[in-house]
Amino acid sequence: MSTHPSTRTGKPLSAAMCLIALSGLPLLGCSQSEAATSRGATEAAPAAPPQGGKSKVEDAVYTLEMKPTGTYKAGQEGLVEVSLLSKGDYHINDKYPIKFKVTEAAAEGVSYPKPLLKREDGAFEETKGVLKVPFVAAKKGKTKVAGVLSFSICSAANCLMQKQELEAVVDVQ
């Protein structure tokens, strides 16, 4: 049995393992093109802190944003908008089951009438897509609406599957 990392299981290394290799830790089996793809995404959009996401993520092949869409009142349903825009030769994969799942440990006083949104809940075209996330904040003040968007974008050469944490801070009146 081989002890080489890429052949031990008979499967090639994942992009995550290539990121480990790029971090300077010794790891063999990562092709230069895999490393370049992983590195390009990492350099274009620094990793989100483990405790939460960002309101906007810029990558070499897409832009993702979660933003408030209006005014909000305590006890009333409001919406935040999640938008995805592909760049260059990339387009939104029309066969991938896009979904947005709200953070299970919701901010205090925030509830979600629909904690899982799917592609059908939004409007998606070839290069752009939008989901409107409903929430209810129980009290006045600034609060956080957050979740994870799972999506895929493709070019003629390859498809990327992504999961990105997002959050928006809204001011509830």
Side-chain angles (χ1 to χ4, degrees), residues 33-45:
S33 64
E34 287 173 314
T37 300
S38 299
R39 184 177 64 244
T42 303
E43 287 175 356

Side-chain angles (χ1 to χ4, degrees), residues 6-158:
S6 65
T7 58
R8 192 176 310 144
T9 63
K11 297 178 183 173
L13 288 175
S14 69
M17 292 182 78
C18 291
L19 286 175
I20 293 169
L22 291 171
S23 70
L25 298 174
L27 181 64
L28 301 174
C30 175
S31 77
Q32 190 172 19
S33 64
E34 287 173 314
T37 300
S38 299
R39 184 177 64 244
T42 303
E43 287 175 356
Q51 70 274 15
K54 296 181 175 188
S55 61
K56 187 171 186 176
V57 176
E58 286 279 343
D59 186 275
V61 296
Y62 67 86
T63 299
L64 192 54
E65 186 171 17
M66 183 177 201
K67 62 185 176 188
T69 61
T71 57
Y72 304 100
K73 297 202 181 290
Q76 294 183 5
E77 185 175 298
L79 298 170
V80 293
E81 184 177 280
V82 175
S83 62
L84 170 62
L85 178 66
S86 65
K87 297 179 182 177
D89 294 336
Y90 281 82
H91 62 275
I92 297 171
N93 184 340
D94 63 350
K95 296 183 180 25
Y96 189 84
I98 294 171
K99 65 181 178 180
F100 182 83
K101 184 175 181 183
V102 300
T103 303
E104 288 185 25
E108 185 179 335
V110 176
S111 62
Y112 296 97
K114 191 164 186 175
L116 178 65
L117 296 170
K118 297 181 179 180
R119 174 190 287 274
E120 306 81 56
D121 297 313
F124 290 89
E125 299 172 12
E126 186 174 349
T127 60
K128 62 183 176 179
V130 175
L131 281 171
K132 295 190 185 265
V133 181
F135 73 97
V136 177
K139 58 186 179 183
K140 293 181 180 182
K142 294 205 181 284
T143 193
K144 181 171 69 170
V145 177
V148 176
L149 182 69
S150 301
F151 63 99
S152 175
I153 57 170
C154 301
S155 69
N158 68 352

